[in-house]
Amino acid sequence: MKSIGARLAICYVLASTVTFASLFLAGRYFIERHAIHALDLLNESEFEQLKAGIGPVGNGLPRDVLRDRVQAMMTDNLELFYVEVYGPNGDRVFRSQGLRGREIVPLPAGQAFNVFVDGLGELRADTFALGPFKVVIATSKRHVRVVMDGYERTFYGLLLVMILVSSVIGYGLSRMALRPLRLIQDTADRIRSDNLSERIPVSAAKDEISDLARLLNQMFDRLEVSFDQIRRFTAEASHELKTPLTLVRLQAEKLVVEGHLQPAQEQSVQIQLRELAHLSRIIEDLLFLSRADARAITLDLKPQDPEPFLQSFAQDAYVLAEHQALRFFLTHHGRGQAAIEPKWLRQVLLNLLSNAFSASPPGGRVTLRSTLMNGTWQVSIEDEGPGVPAEQRERIFERFVRIPRPGEDKGTGLGLAICRSLVELHGGRIFAEAAPGGTGLRMVFEIPATTSLEGAAASHDVPLHEAGTT
Ligand SMILES: Nc1ncnc2c1ncn2[C@@H]1O[C@H](COP(=O)(O)OP(=O)(O)OP(=O)(O)O)[C@@H](O)[C@H]1O
Ligand SMILES: [Mg+2]
C-alpha cells in the first residue's frame, strides 16, 4: 500500500479491533465461569434441601425407603434438577423421571462436571456424598447458553460499529498526523530554480517534522546560494567576454577591409569572423538567459489583437522561406486579445521558424497556425522534417541540448531554452509534439488571452492568410 495515511488508519483499526476482541474473550470467560459457578451453588443448595428432607441415612437404610423419600422430595423441582442416587456398590438406587431413562455417569463425590445427555443437552452436574450413598444433581446449562449467545450477538454488533467508528477516527488521525508532511511536500514541489527563495513553514513545536522542515530549509539556503553564484558567474563571464570579442572582431574586419591579405589569409580571417559571430551569439544568449533567471527582464505586456503582429511576422517568414526554397503557410482563427510584447514574441517565432526551416526537407512546407479560443492564444509551427523522438521532446528545451543531424547548421542549443523563458514571461507554456501529418515536429505555445469566440463558435472564423511561396 502506497499511502502512509492509509497504513496508519488500517493499523489503528486493527489495534482497536484486537483490543476489543481480547476484552470480549476475557469478559466471555469470566461471565461463563460466574454463571457455571452459580449453577454449582444451585445444585449444592438442592442437595442440602434433599439431605434435610431425607433425614439421617445409614448403612441399614433400605433402598426402597431411600428411593421413596428422594422421590417425595423431587416432585417440586421435576423440571429444574436431574437427580441420581447410587448405592455403596455403584448400583443405581434412584433416577429422576426428567432424565427419561438416560444416565449421568457419576464422578467421585465432591466433583463438578459438564455432561451431555441425549435429548436434554448439556448439563452441569455435581456429585455429593450422602452417608454411604452418592447423589448426582444436575441442572441444564441452557440458560447459560442463552446468556452467552446474547453476549456474542451484542459483541458482533458492537464490533461492526467499532470498526466503522475506528476507521473514521483512524482516517482523521492519519490526516492530522500527515498534515505537516503534506505542507512540506506542497512547498518543496513549488520550489524550483526560478523560485528558490520560498521556504517550508516551520511549526513552533520542536518535533521530528519541524526538524525535517528546518533541515530542508537549510538545504534550500545552500542551493539558493550555489544557484546565485552560478547565475552571477554566467552573467559576469558573458559580460566580460563581450568587449574583448568585439575588439577581436573589429580587428579582423579591419584586416579584411584594408585588403592587404593574401587570398588564403583572407579565407582564414573570414572563418575566424564566422566563428566569432557564433561565439558572440552564444554569449548574448547566455546573458539573456541569466538575466531571465535572475528575473532581471521585465516585459512591457500590452493586451492587443495578435493578428496584425502575425501579418507583419508573416512578411518576413515568406522572404526567409523563399530564400531557403521552402513553403510557408499561415492561418489565424478567432478573435480576441492577448497581453504580449511583440519584440520578444517575434524572437520566439523566429527561433521556432529557424528550427523548422533547418529541419525541413527541400521544398518542405512549414505551417504556422494561430487560434484564439477558450481564453487561450495557441500558436503552433509544424514542419515536415524528421521530427524528434517522443522521449527527447522535453529535453530539447534544456540549455545546450542538441540532436545533431548530418548537414545541419551548427546551432548552440540555446534557442528553445530562450523560447521557453520568453513564453513563460508571457505567462504561457511551450511544448513539442509530433506533427499531425506523421512526420515532422509541431512546436506549440499557448498564452492566456481574452477571446470573444468560444468552442464551437470558432467555426465562424476565417483564415487570415493562406499562401505559399515555392
Ligand atoms: N522543428 C524541429 N525538428 C527537428 N528537431 C528540432 C526542431 N526544433 C528543434 N529541434 C531539435 O532541438 C534542438 C535544440 O533546438 P534549439 O533551437 O534549442 O537549438 P539549436 O537550433 O540547435 O541552436 P540555436 O541556439 O542556434 O537555436 C536542435 O538541435 C534540434 O535537434
Ligand atoms: Mg534553434
Side-chain angles (χ1 to χ4, degrees):
M1 195 174 291
K2 278 187 184 163
S3 153
I4 294 182
R7 273 186 303 217
L8 276 178
I10 288 175
C11 285
Y12 180 81
V13 173
L14 278 179
S16 316
T17 310
V18 168
T19 312
F20 186 68
S22 311
L23 282 175
F24 161 76
L25 287 176
R28 187 182 188 284
Y29 172 75
F30 285 113
I31 290 175
E32 195 168 16
R33 244 181 73 145
H34 190 75
I36 287 175
H37 183 63
L39 289 184
D40 288 337
L41 290 177
L42 212 61
N43 287 345
E44 196 178 330
S45 92
E46 174 66 10
F47 171 70
E48 291 303 332
Q49 264 187 36
L50 205 64
K51 196 168 139 189
I54 291 169
V57 178
N59 268 337
L61 184 73
R63 288 154 182 267
D64 305 355
V65 176
L66 178 63
R67 186 172 50 236
D68 291 346
R69 285 188 192 170
V70 175
Q71 183 68 56
M73 295 294 301
M74 284 303 299
T75 45
D76 289 349
N77 299 322
L78 220 53
E79 286 302 316
L80 196 56
F81 295 104
Y82 305 102
V83 178
E84 277 182 339
V85 181
Y86 291 88
N89 305 327
D91 52 324
R92 196 177 58 250
V93 175
F94 173 81
R95 174 186 284 158
S96 57
Q97 281 176 4
L99 280 168
R100 292 174 211 151
R102 293 180 190 94
E103 185 178 52
I104 304 170
V105 180
L107 290 180
Q111 288 211 18
F113 57 99
N114 299 319
V115 62
F116 187 84
V117 176
D118 280 345
L120 298 179
E122 214 184 353
L123 306 180
R124 179 67 181 176
D126 292 82
T127 317
F128 304 94
L130 183 69
F133 297 94
K134 198 155 53 174
V135 178
V136 180
I137 300 183
T139 323
S140 172
K141 282 178 78 180
R142 199 173 54 247
H143 297 292
V144 176
R145 194 54 42 233
V146 169
V147 170
M148 295 321 294
D149 286 351
Y151 181 79
E152 274 175 23
R153 268 198 305 279
T154 311
F155 164 75
Y156 289 126
L158 283 178
L159 185 72
L160 200 72
V161 172
M162 206 216 63
I163 288 177
L164 289 177
V165 171
S166 63
S167 303
V168 173
I169 295 178
Y171 175 74
L173 275 178
S174 71
R175 276 192 71 83
M176 203 174 76
L178 294 178
R179 205 174 46 213
L181 276 184
R182 263 199 307 279
L183 201 65
I184 291 180
Q185 190 184 358
D186 290 348
T187 317
D189 194 40
R190 278 199 305 274
I191 297 177
R192 296 166 195 280
S193 61
D194 57 348
N195 176 29
L196 267 175
S197 53
E198 190 166 344
R199 291 292 175 269
I200 298 163
V202 182
S203 71
K206 264 200 80 65
D207 52 21
E208 294 87 341
I209 304 270
S210 66
D211 283 350
L212 176 69
R214 233 170 266 120
L215 265 177
L216 284 172
N217 280 345
Q218 285 165 10
M219 188 184 82
F220 289 132
D221 287 345
R222 290 195 295 274
L223 275 178
E224 191 179 8
V225 170
S226 310
F227 262 77
D228 270 355
Q229 281 170 350
I230 294 169
R231 273 181 201 146
R232 226 170 315 123
F233 172 77
T234 319
E236 282 166 10
S238 314
H239 196 74
E240 290 299 317
L241 283 169
K242 259 174 80 176
T243 319
L245 260 183
T246 312
L247 284 175
V248 173
R249 184 168 51 82
L250 285 175
Q251 290 297 331
E253 280 171 356
K254 198 170 146 212
L255 281 176
V256 176
V257 171
E258 283 173 358
H260 302 309
L261 299 172
Q262 301 292 321
Q265 287 171 324
E266 189 177 333
Q267 199 186 358
S268 141
V269 173
Q270 289 293 2
I271 292 173
Q272 284 176 27
L273 276 171
R274 254 204 321 275
E275 289 303 315
L276 279 171
H278 184 61
L279 206 56
S280 297
R281 248 199 69 203
I282 296 181
I283 289 170
E284 288 293 337
D285 288 352
L286 278 177
L287 203 55
F288 173 85
L289 284 169
S290 55
R291 285 175 60 215
D293 285 348
R295 300 188 171 274
I297 294 177
T298 41
L299 300 194
D300 184 17
L301 300 176
K302 289 203 179 84
Q304 53 197 275
D305 182 358
E307 197 182 308
F309 160 72
L310 281 176
Q311 263 174 334
S312 133
F313 175 76
Q315 304 308 318
D316 298 339
Y318 288 129
V319 176
L320 285 170
E322 201 168 26
H323 183 66
Q324 301 186 37
L326 296 168
R327 293 175 300 151
F328 175 76
F329 294 85
L330 166 73
T331 63
H332 176 72
H333 296 271
R335 287 190 204 295
Q337 294 207 320
I340 55 171
E341 184 169 347
K343 178 181 86 173
W344 292 118
L345 219 54
R346 195 182 147 75
Q347 161 103 50
V348 173
L349 286 176
L350 274 176
N351 281 355
L352 298 180
L353 201 69
S354 101
N355 283 351
F357 282 168
S358 59
S360 291
R365 174 187 169 115
V366 173
T367 313
L368 192 159
R369 289 181 213 284
S370 152
T371 317
L372 272 161
M373 202 198 289
N374 301 330
T376 303
W377 178 37
Q378 189 192 70
V379 178
S380 69
I381 293 188
E382 290 162 30
D383 60 57
E384 295 175 334
V388 172
E391 65 279 5
Q392 303 265 36
R393 280 187 207 134
E394 195 45 39
R395 271 200 72 225
I396 54 175
F397 290 94
E398 290 171 21
R399 290 165 200 193
F400 295 111
V401 171
R402 300 190 65 248
I403 308 169
R405 270 188 305 273
E408 193 201 25
D409 282 354
K410 202 169 93 183
T412 59
L414 290 172
L416 288 180
I418 290 178
C419 287
R420 179 160 272 179
S421 267
L422 284 171
V423 170
E424 283 174 358
L425 283 169
H426 280 85
R429 63 182 193 128
I430 182 168
F431 54 93
E433 57 186 30
T439 62
L441 195 69
R442 179 168 187 252
M443 280 288 179
V444 187
F445 70 78
E446 291 172 345
I447 288 177
T450 46
T451 50
S452 50
L453 289 169
E454 302 290 318
S459 57
H460 295 291
D461 300 351
V462 185
L464 165 77
H465 208 100
E466 191 153 322
T469 59
T470 46

